[in-house]
Amino acid sequence: MTSYYDHILGLIPVAFAAVAATLYFTGLQSALAIPVAGGVAVVLVGHALFVNGPVDDAPNATASTQYQHAAPVGPVEDGSPAPAAD
């Protein structure tokens, strides 16, 4: 089953070639048609990343993980001298 991202991956080279060919055959120089077609491909990638961004369907692993906390570090209470700071 194909997803949105499969369609985007297939559409990027097709859109690039189609836009570049269309602009070239309508009279635009290839030095300008190719960057414009590249811009269309960049817009497709940007849409896939930022507008309809990928989401993780898996549950959040850190929410179910139990962490054990260490005892707080503080001054020594047994009367022994603390080590000298360098």
Side-chain angles (χ1 to χ4, degrees):
M1 180 178 206
T2 59
S3 69
Y4 168 77
Y5 298 103
D6 295 326
H7 293 286
I8 289 293
L9 286 174
L11 187 61
I12 290 169
V14 170
F16 181 81
V19 170
T22 302
L23 291 176
Y24 179 74
F25 289 124
T26 58
L28 201 62
Q29 295 178 355
S30 63
L32 187 57
I34 291 173
V36 170
V40 171
V42 168
V43 167
L44 287 171
V45 171
H47 186 274
L49 287 175
F50 300 112
V51 176
N52 194 8
V55 292
D56 188 14
D57 292 335
N60 190 358
T62 59
S64 64
T65 306
Q66 297 293 329
Y67 293 103
Q68 294 180 358
H69 298 287
V73 177
V76 179
E77 295 181 15
D78 65 354
S80 63
D86 289 332

